[in-house]
């Protein structure tokens, strides 16, 4: 589920260190409108290194699907480019202070946006919220994450534009989870008149031709080919400035780089961090590096050989994370000392630290009974210490990262075998990570905006049903996570998260490499683009324009 977090990070831009910096090249190829000759007025050509399997974010764990779905589908709330939670399909964010959250925490009221219609002309109402929730909870649907929805007892609609959410128990993170385009597992509001009577939604037409409230509608989609959006003339914020957005997946980031260089492509708004230097040399293109919620981790499968905590400790001691950040991310971020960003109100400084120490790594492996043999590898009872590391085929960043990890582990006697799969397969519900066919996998993902992480570390959240892909269970962490979610008292929650984060860093189910920034590369003629700090970069696509 996780795969790719709002943080204060070090943004790298040429020799400058800044937040949200950019590189602009000057070109002599100028068209009659004053834009570059290669710019197609009103048409934005975007790409990624993978093709989505669906345009319904409820049924996927792939960031590319989240991004592409958000051109047509919308959320109750989303994160803006400053990392602020902003209302989208509701008029305001429910809080205790404005009375939309009851004092006992069991009732949350959403006042829905007026004058919003679906792209087929039907009005948006509270019935859509109710129908969407019912489909999320429908056990026949392959929903990636149900946390934030499973705590809901019922939803009432006393008025067409009022949705009153009744909870089974107090749940502090609700407004950042419930139909929120904020972090991993975002689920958009869907039209009741389309989905209400469907017995399941895994293979329905809506997933490839969604009817939404967003700024664009799907004009056509050729699988493994072009996905074309056209402006929604009835969009509630006003007609978008772009006429079309054309998405075309690329077989690799190097192929995409060529397309950007030749100007067959205009943008990748969530591009590879490993190619920052190359992006900055592109003529007529701008590169921005901005804060995000993304943590790069190396998850470890606790159901295999890495179920021994000593091996997990040995692995992190063997990794020079500072050097990896400099070499692989070009300094665009900072080394993580735990699983929350250092700006979070729940960030905990008093946790175990794991500096780069290959000698301590070797000693830890010796203590665990894995002895170094003359061939340079470690053995125990005649079995070589070998782990399978999962990577993304076609991604230079993934390959370079895993190759470096492999070399660090080889230096202490661990045989790391890299197996690469396509992006769609790696993060699919039937893929190697979700099904537990791996020992270690490295990727970045958006950490929770609210520190509650039961979906990541709950004992009843093991993948594929949940998001605990490490398959590690600490009953104390599980209990404290549930306790922290049951109160809106931040001081009390902070005490609990300090214990949780310390325990997680002791058990170390995943290596927290570094929090990294989001890289966007785009035609410098594109105006109005700013990247959200949340999981979905394109939060303001209705404002984008190309002359």
């Amino acid at each position: 589920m996780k795969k790719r977090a709002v943080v204060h990070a070090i943004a790298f831009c040429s020799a400058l260190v800044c937040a949200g910096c950019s590189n602009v090249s000057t070109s002599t190829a100028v068209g009659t409108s004053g834009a570059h000759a290669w710019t197609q007025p009103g048409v934005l050509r975007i790409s990624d290194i993978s093709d989505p399997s669906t345009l319904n974010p409820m049924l996927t764990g792939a960031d590319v699907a989240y991004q592409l779905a958000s051109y047509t589908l919308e959320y109750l709330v989303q994160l803006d480019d400053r990392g602020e939670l902003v209302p989208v399909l509701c008029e305001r964010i429910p809080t205790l202070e404005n009375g939309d959250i009851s004092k006992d925490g069991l009732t949350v009221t959403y006042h829905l946006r007026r004058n919003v219609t679906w792209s087929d002309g039907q009005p948006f109402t509270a019935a859509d919220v109710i129908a969407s929730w019912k489909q999320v909870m429908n056990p026949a649907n392959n929903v990636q994450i149900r946390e934030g929805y499973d705590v809901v007892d019922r939803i009432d609609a006393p008025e067409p534009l009022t949705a009153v959410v009744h909870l089974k128990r107090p749940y502090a993170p609700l407004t950042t989870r419930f139909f929120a385009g904020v972090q991993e597992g975002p689920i958009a509001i869907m039209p009741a008149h389309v989905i209400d009577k469907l017995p399941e939604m895994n293979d329905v037409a809506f997933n490839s031709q969604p009817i939404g409230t967003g700024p664009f509608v799907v004009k056509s989609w050729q699988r493994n080919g072009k996905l074309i959006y056209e402006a929604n003339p009835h969009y509630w914020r006003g007609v978008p400035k772009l006429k079309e957005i054309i998405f075309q997946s690329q077989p690799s980031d190097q192929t995409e780089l060529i397309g950007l260089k030749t100007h067959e492509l205009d943008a990748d708004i969530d591009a590879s961090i490993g190619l920052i230097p190359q992006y900055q040399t592109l003529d007529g293109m701008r590169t921005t590096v901005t804060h995000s919620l993304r943590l790069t981790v190396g998850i470890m499968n606790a159901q295999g050989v890495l179920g021994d905590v000593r091996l997990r400790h040995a692995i992190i001691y063997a990794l020079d994370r500072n050097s990896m950040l400099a070499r692989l991310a070009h300094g665009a971020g900072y080394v993580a000392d735990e699983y929350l960003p250092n700006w979070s109100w729940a960030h905990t400084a008093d946790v175990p630290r794991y500096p780069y120490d290959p000698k301590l790594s070797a000693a830890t492996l010796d203590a665990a009974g894995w002895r170094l043999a003359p061939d340079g590898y470690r053995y125990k009872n005649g079995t070589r210490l070998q782990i399978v590391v999962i990577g993304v085929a076609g991604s230079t960043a993934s390959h370079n990262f895993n190759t470096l990890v492999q070399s660090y582990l080889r230096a202490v006697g661990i045989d790391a075998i890299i197996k690469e799969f396509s992006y769609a397969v790696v993060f699919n519900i039937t893929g190697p990570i979700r099904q537990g066919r791996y020992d270690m996998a490295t990727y970045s993902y958006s950490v929770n905006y609210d520190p509650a992480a039961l979906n990541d570390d709950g004992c009843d959240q093991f993948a594929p049903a949940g998001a605990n892909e490490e398959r590690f269970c600490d009953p104390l962490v599980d209990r404290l996570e549930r306790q922290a979610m049951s109160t809106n008292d931040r001081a009390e929650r902070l005490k609990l998260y300090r214990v949780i984060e310390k325990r997680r860093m002791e058990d170390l189910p995943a290596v927290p490499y570094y929090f990294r920034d989001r890289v966007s590369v785009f035609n410098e003629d594109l105006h109005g683009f700013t990247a959200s700090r949340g999981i979905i970069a394109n939060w303001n696509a209705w404002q984008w324009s190309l002359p």
Side-chain angles (χ1 to χ4, degrees):
M1 158 64 46
K2 308 170 242 180
K3 76 229 96 348
R4 308 6 90 232
V6 176
V7 301
H8 291 299
I10 304 171
F12 176 90
C13 181
S14 297
L16 301 177
V17 177
C18 61
C21 58
S22 63
N23 174 65
V24 179
S25 299
T26 301
S27 171
T28 56
V30 178
T32 57
S33 66
H36 293 297
W38 56 75
T39 297
Q40 298 181 18
V43 178
L44 180 67
R45 300 159 299 169
I46 62 175
S47 71
D48 198 281
I49 65 165
S50 63
D51 208 42
S53 60
T54 178
L55 295 179
N56 186 346
M58 181 179 75
L59 303 173
T60 183
D63 276 8
V64 66
Y66 299 156
Q67 307 288 353
L68 293 173
S70 68
Y71 291 116
T72 60
L73 298 171
E74 293 185 309
Y75 302 83
L76 290 173
V77 301
Q78 200 165 356
L79 282 192
D80 66 10
D81 55 350
R82 299 171 299 167
E84 300 291 337
L85 199 64
V86 294
V88 182
L89 290 178
C90 61
E91 297 281 355
R92 65 191 189 194
I93 308 294
T95 65
L96 284 169
E97 292 72 20
N98 64 24
D100 291 343
I101 298 179
S102 63
K103 291 183 179 180
D104 63 6
L106 291 174
T107 304
V108 180
T109 300
Y110 286 91
H111 299 282
L112 303 180
R113 184 79 61 182
R114 299 177 182 277
N115 302 316
V116 176
T117 61
W118 295 97
S119 56
D120 64 359
Q122 294 294 313
F124 164 70
T125 70
D128 301 310
V129 178
I130 296 172
S132 296
W133 170 66
K134 288 180 178 179
Q135 284 291 3
V136 173
M137 296 308 299
N138 181 351
N141 289 327
N142 296 328
V143 178
Q144 298 283 302
I145 292 180
R146 287 189 170 93
E147 187 184 352
Y149 302 89
D150 55 2
V151 297
V152 175
D153 181 59
R154 73 180 193 277
I155 304 174
D156 294 334
E159 297 176 347
L161 293 176
T162 303
V164 182
V165 182
H166 299 277
L167 305 181
K168 300 173 185 176
R169 58 185 180 275
Y171 181 73
L174 185 82
T175 57
T176 65
R177 304 284 176 88
F178 186 74
F179 297 114
V182 174
Q183 57 207 29
E184 296 295 339
I187 299 176
I189 300 290
M190 297 171 283
H193 63 282
V194 174
I195 70 168
D196 196 29
K197 304 300 182 182
L198 295 175
E200 54 85 18
M201 292 189 63
N202 299 314
D203 301 296
V204 298
F206 178 86
N207 299 335
S208 58
Q209 196 78 26
I211 293 171
T213 61
F216 295 88
V217 297
V218 174
K219 182 178 179 180
S220 63
W221 184 15
Q222 179 184 357
R223 297 301 180 105
N224 299 312
K226 289 184 178 180
L227 170 58
I228 302 176
Y229 299 87
E230 59 185 0
N232 179 358
H234 307 296
Y235 186 52
W236 59 272
R237 283 174 164 134
V239 179
K241 297 178 181 179
L242 289 174
K243 295 183 295 184
E244 281 190 345
I245 295 177
I246 301 174
F247 170 81
Q248 175 78 64
S249 65
Q250 305 297 316
S252 71
D253 48 19
Q254 291 296 328
T255 304
E256 180 183 74
L257 185 64
I258 294 172
L260 294 168
K261 185 175 183 179
T262 59
H263 302 293
E264 297 173 81
L265 298 172
D266 290 307
D268 183 343
I269 63 174
D270 207 358
S272 172
I273 200 168
L275 296 179
I276 291 176
Q278 290 94 318
Y279 294 148
Q280 292 174 335
T281 66
L282 295 175
D283 184 40
M285 304 294 284
R286 184 181 178 197
T287 303
T288 60
V289 185
T290 54
H291 299 324
S292 80
L293 282 169
R294 287 182 173 172
L295 172 64
T296 296
V297 295
I299 63 170
M300 295 178 279
N301 188 351
Q303 301 299 306
V305 66
L306 299 185
D308 187 338
V309 67
R310 294 171 297 181
L311 295 189
R312 301 196 297 271
H313 288 173
I315 284 175
I316 195 171
Y317 282 129
L319 300 170
D320 188 348
R321 291 178 290 159
N322 281 293
S323 177
M324 294 174 75
L325 174 65
R327 293 174 60 179
L328 300 172
H330 305 284
Y334 60 89
V335 171
D337 55 14
E338 58 137 314
Y339 302 105
L340 294 174
N342 59 17
W343 57 271
S344 170
W345 59 266
H347 178 265
T348 302
D350 183 23
V351 296
R353 303 300 176 98
Y354 300 94
Y356 174 52
D357 192 335
K359 290 184 179 179
L360 181 54
S361 174
T364 304
L365 290 168
D366 287 339
W370 293 95
R371 301 295 180 177
L372 195 64
D375 64 359
Y377 291 107
R378 291 182 178 271
Y379 293 82
K380 185 177 184 179
N381 300 324
T383 300
R384 179 185 287 189
L385 180 51
Q386 185 176 87
I387 64 173
V388 173
V389 179
I390 299 297
V392 178
S395 169
T396 301
S398 174
H399 180 77
N400 290 346
F401 198 109
N402 285 335
T403 300
L404 188 55
V405 168
Q406 183 183 53
S407 67
Y408 281 127
L409 297 184
R410 176 67 180 86
V412 296
I414 300 175
D415 184 14
I417 307 299
I418 300 172
K419 291 188 177 181
E420 295 185 337
F421 301 84
S422 71
Y423 180 95
V425 170
V426 167
F427 300 112
N428 192 278
I429 196 168
T430 61
I433 295 176
R434 302 288 291 161
Q435 294 297 322
R437 299 189 299 270
Y438 79 100
D439 293 305
M440 192 170 182
T442 297
Y443 51 67
S444 62
Y445 75 104
S446 295
V447 301
N448 293 334
Y449 186 72
D450 181 283
L454 184 64
N455 57 323
D456 291 336
D457 54 29
C459 292
D460 62 351
Q461 297 293 315
F462 282 19
N468 186 341
E469 294 166 344
E470 298 92 337
R471 294 167 173 77
F472 180 82
C473 171
D474 180 341
L476 177 59
V477 168
D478 185 284
R479 178 170 61 81
L480 295 180
E481 283 277 17
R482 296 176 193 276
Q483 186 177 342
M485 289 193 298
S486 68
T487 177
N488 286 297
D489 184 335
R490 178 168 287 193
E492 178 62 24
R493 297 185 77 202
L494 179 58
K495 294 177 185 178
L496 297 171
Y497 285 121
R498 283 175 174 165
V499 177
I500 289 170
E501 292 309 306
K502 187 172 184 178
R503 293 276 298 196
R504 292 181 75 194
M505 286 303 293
E506 289 171 348
D507 292 329
L508 204 72
V511 174
Y513 287 105
Y514 45 75
F515 282 94
R516 72 173 183 83
D517 295 337
R518 168 176 277 125
V519 177
S520 302
V521 56
F522 51 92
N523 185 339
E524 64 185 14
D525 290 332
L526 179 65
H527 300 297
F529 169 77
T530 60
S532 165
R533 296 187 182 186
I535 185 71
I536 301 168
N538 45 313
W539 72 285
N540 70 333
W542 78 94
Q543 295 179 317
W544 302 351
S545 66
L546 277 171

